[in-house]
Amino acid sequence: MIIIVCENIPATKTVATAMGATTEAGNGIYNSDTLTVVCIPPRFIRQTPLCEMAEGEYPFIPDKFRMSVTMKELERQLKPLFREAGEVVFASDGGADAQARFFNICRHFRVECPRSRMWLTRLSYGAIRGAFHFRESGRHLHRLAQTGLVSKGMDMLFAYNLGQTFLRIGLPEYNLTRMEAVALEYVGDLTGRFDSFSESPAAHSIRVNVNGGEGFESEAVWEAEEDALAAAADIPVGETVSATLTVDETDRFNLRFHTLLTLQMDAFNNFGLMPSKTLRLAQNLYNKGLISSPLTRCSHLPEKLRGHIRTVFPDTPGYSWGENGASIDRHAIITLRAIDQDLPEKEKQLYWLIFNRMKAVVEQQPTRKCATLEFKIGETVFFRQWELTSEAYEVTETGTFQTDVTISDAAVYPCDTPVAESNASTDVMCALTSKAEYVDEMMQTNVPYTMETGDYGSALDSLVRKGLVTLDGGDVYLSPEGQYVYDEFAGREFAEMLLTWQSEANDLYEGDQTGRSVIEGFSTSLLDMIATIDPEAGE
């Protein structure tokens, strides 16, 4: 008998139907002659909170973490099934965190038969049967579970010990996660950099109009207005000067399909949905089989899905399928079928947001053309850049061409000093995610997506709910309470430490580390962090 383990009822019912397990043997348990599909919710086994284990000790680093079953009736139903199982298969779209839960279930039931994994990227019958047929087994799944277990252990160590540290120095506990701490430090650093920019003197640039209306701005800016005016005095208003027109063509993707991050960004910008709300709505759509799994960082589709896309969009000239890193188990968020049921308004909005992004991606031009018109007066360079679309795209050749422009007028304007960063909510989400992924790439880890360590949008959302971060017109700022916490982090590079140790945990997937060594190393760094904030810790 094969047992297939799912983590929620909608997925369990869909998997059971796809696999022909149509006999309901209990709530969340479905049978056929050859297999059983069971629902074991994530809360089935509870990790004992450190506050229950520490008994007031601070700082507290346990020798081992304890687990306990919270659903005794379900446990009684499952025991005979696992005892008779010939293979146990885990069916989920989750990453290391989900694999860790499956590992704990098998350890609890003392499973000794073969174990495997089917990736539920899409909840359609054909995709489910395909995932079962090509299910994975091997040592890499064990290492993936170890990554999840170590990540969860670091979460528990961090949340308990930092909370106790805050209480000791007179701050509320806040129950900060590692991701929230990284996000808070980033927002605080960003606020400090913006404050320094606001204190700097205003800059000045020169703007000119040519050919009766096209606006150009100087590449350079000047701190002193008199310097900008001196440069502007050399501009020959009313005269014609030589210019260079450059038309470049690129096949780099302009628009890409949605990932969880870009979906959260679009939903916030278009509907004002907070990131965690977007994730919940997307999970609902996934559970109903309307979209593919939202737990993805991949913005491309594999060649194998070309046929599916063409059932909706017959022609796809704007998408280069090729080798883009996507696979049938790891690809961008797409719609799977038309809406055939009543949906809450927010879910419907999110569904069409995904559909319209798909339409825009496949209908875009296969290449892009950008034009840059540039001319120079003395040492001052003026330029304007734009993308060629519609008829201009068709008729304009690529290359570099000489032309002339007639200068209509010129003037000096105050401008902001160029700032490379933004505190817009969606930009902060993107920067945080990119920062974490860059650390992973530098350490050459390739762990499949895990929600607990990848969703910085929800981390920012949580900081807003805790009152540590505020949103003003879509821009992110520290609240006064957040500033108190940030003051304890400022200049100490705690975020760098946390990201580095998460990458060490992810490296378990490659088999180059042991879970014990990572936990011990993180514990040492955490104790150093605590001692920096609270020098009396442990006394």
Short mmCIF file of all heavy atoms in Angstrom, two decimals, residues 217-220 374-383:
data_model
loop_
_atom_site.label_atom_id
_atom_site.label_comp_id
_atom_site.label_asym_id
_atom_site.label_seq_id
_atom_site.Cartn_x
_atom_site.Cartn_y
_atom_site.Cartn_z
N GLU A 217 17.89 66.55 -20.76
CA GLU A 217 18.47 66.99 -19.49
C GLU A 217 19.95 66.65 -19.47
O GLU A 217 20.38 65.64 -20.02
CB GLU A 217 17.76 66.32 -18.31
CG GLU A 217 18.18 66.90 -16.97
CD GLU A 217 17.11 66.73 -15.90
OE1 GLU A 217 16.05 66.16 -16.22
OE2 GLU A 217 17.33 67.17 -14.77
N SER A 218 20.71 67.50 -18.82
CA SER A 218 22.15 67.27 -18.76
C SER A 218 22.46 66.02 -17.96
O SER A 218 21.79 65.71 -16.96
CB SER A 218 22.86 68.48 -18.14
OG SER A 218 22.38 68.72 -16.84
N GLU A 219 23.46 65.30 -18.41
CA GLU A 219 23.89 64.10 -17.69
C GLU A 219 24.50 64.48 -16.35
O GLU A 219 24.33 63.78 -15.36
CB GLU A 219 24.88 63.33 -18.54
CG GLU A 219 25.25 61.97 -18.01
CD GLU A 219 26.13 61.22 -18.98
OE1 GLU A 219 27.10 61.83 -19.49
OE2 GLU A 219 25.86 60.04 -19.24
N ALA A 220 25.19 65.60 -16.33
CA ALA A 220 25.85 66.07 -15.11
C ALA A 220 24.91 66.95 -14.29
O ALA A 220 23.95 67.54 -14.82
CB ALA A 220 27.12 66.84 -15.46
N GLU A 374 21.70 61.74 -28.43
CA GLU A 374 22.69 62.37 -27.55
C GLU A 374 23.47 63.44 -28.31
O GLU A 374 23.81 63.26 -29.48
CB GLU A 374 23.64 61.29 -27.02
CG GLU A 374 24.71 61.78 -26.08
CD GLU A 374 25.60 60.63 -25.61
OE1 GLU A 374 25.06 59.69 -24.97
OE2 GLU A 374 26.82 60.67 -25.88
N PHE A 375 23.72 64.56 -27.64
CA PHE A 375 24.60 65.57 -28.21
C PHE A 375 25.40 66.22 -27.09
O PHE A 375 25.08 66.10 -25.90
CB PHE A 375 23.82 66.62 -29.02
CG PHE A 375 22.78 67.37 -28.23
CD1 PHE A 375 23.09 68.56 -27.56
CD2 PHE A 375 21.47 66.90 -28.16
CE1 PHE A 375 22.13 69.25 -26.85
CE2 PHE A 375 20.50 67.58 -27.44
CZ PHE A 375 20.83 68.76 -26.77
N LYS A 376 26.49 66.89 -27.48
CA LYS A 376 27.43 67.43 -26.51
C LYS A 376 27.71 68.89 -26.83
O LYS A 376 27.95 69.24 -28.00
CB LYS A 376 28.72 66.62 -26.53
CG LYS A 376 29.71 66.96 -25.44
CD LYS A 376 30.90 65.99 -25.49
CE LYS A 376 31.88 66.26 -24.35
NZ LYS A 376 33.04 65.33 -24.40
N ILE A 377 27.65 69.73 -25.81
CA ILE A 377 27.99 71.15 -25.95
C ILE A 377 29.08 71.44 -24.94
O ILE A 377 28.85 71.38 -23.72
CB ILE A 377 26.77 72.06 -25.71
CG1 ILE A 377 25.68 71.75 -26.73
CG2 ILE A 377 27.17 73.53 -25.77
CD1 ILE A 377 24.39 72.50 -26.52
N GLY A 378 30.27 71.72 -25.44
CA GLY A 378 31.42 71.85 -24.54
C GLY A 378 31.69 70.52 -23.87
O GLY A 378 31.87 69.50 -24.54
N GLU A 379 31.69 70.49 -22.55
CA GLU A 379 31.89 69.24 -21.81
C GLU A 379 30.57 68.68 -21.27
O GLU A 379 30.57 67.68 -20.55
CB GLU A 379 32.85 69.49 -20.62
CG GLU A 379 34.26 69.88 -21.03
CD GLU A 379 34.91 68.82 -21.89
OE1 GLU A 379 34.77 67.62 -21.58
OE2 GLU A 379 35.55 69.18 -22.91
N THR A 380 29.44 69.33 -21.62
CA THR A 380 28.15 68.92 -21.08
C THR A 380 27.43 68.02 -22.08
O THR A 380 27.22 68.40 -23.23
CB THR A 380 27.27 70.14 -20.76
OG1 THR A 380 28.00 71.01 -19.88
CG2 THR A 380 25.99 69.72 -20.08
N VAL A 381 27.03 66.84 -21.60
CA VAL A 381 26.34 65.87 -22.45
C VAL A 381 24.84 65.92 -22.15
O VAL A 381 24.41 65.92 -20.98
CB VAL A 381 26.88 64.44 -22.19
CG1 VAL A 381 26.07 63.42 -22.99
CG2 VAL A 381 28.35 64.37 -22.56
N PHE A 382 24.04 65.97 -23.21
CA PHE A 382 22.59 65.93 -23.08
C PHE A 382 22.09 64.68 -23.81
O PHE A 382 22.61 64.32 -24.87
CB PHE A 382 21.95 67.17 -23.71
CG PHE A 382 22.31 68.45 -23.03
CD1 PHE A 382 23.47 69.14 -23.40
CD2 PHE A 382 21.52 68.96 -22.02
CE1 PHE A 382 23.81 70.33 -22.77
CE2 PHE A 382 21.85 70.14 -21.38
CZ PHE A 382 23.01 70.83 -21.76
N PHE A 383 21.08 64.01 -23.23
CA PHE A 383 20.58 62.81 -23.89
C PHE A 383 19.11 62.58 -23.54
O PHE A 383 18.59 63.10 -22.54
CB PHE A 383 21.40 61.58 -23.50
CG PHE A 383 21.15 61.10 -22.10
CD1 PHE A 383 20.26 60.07 -21.85
CD2 PHE A 383 21.79 61.70 -21.02
CE1 PHE A 383 20.02 59.64 -20.55
CE2 PHE A 383 21.56 61.27 -19.73
CZ PHE A 383 20.68 60.23 -19.50
#
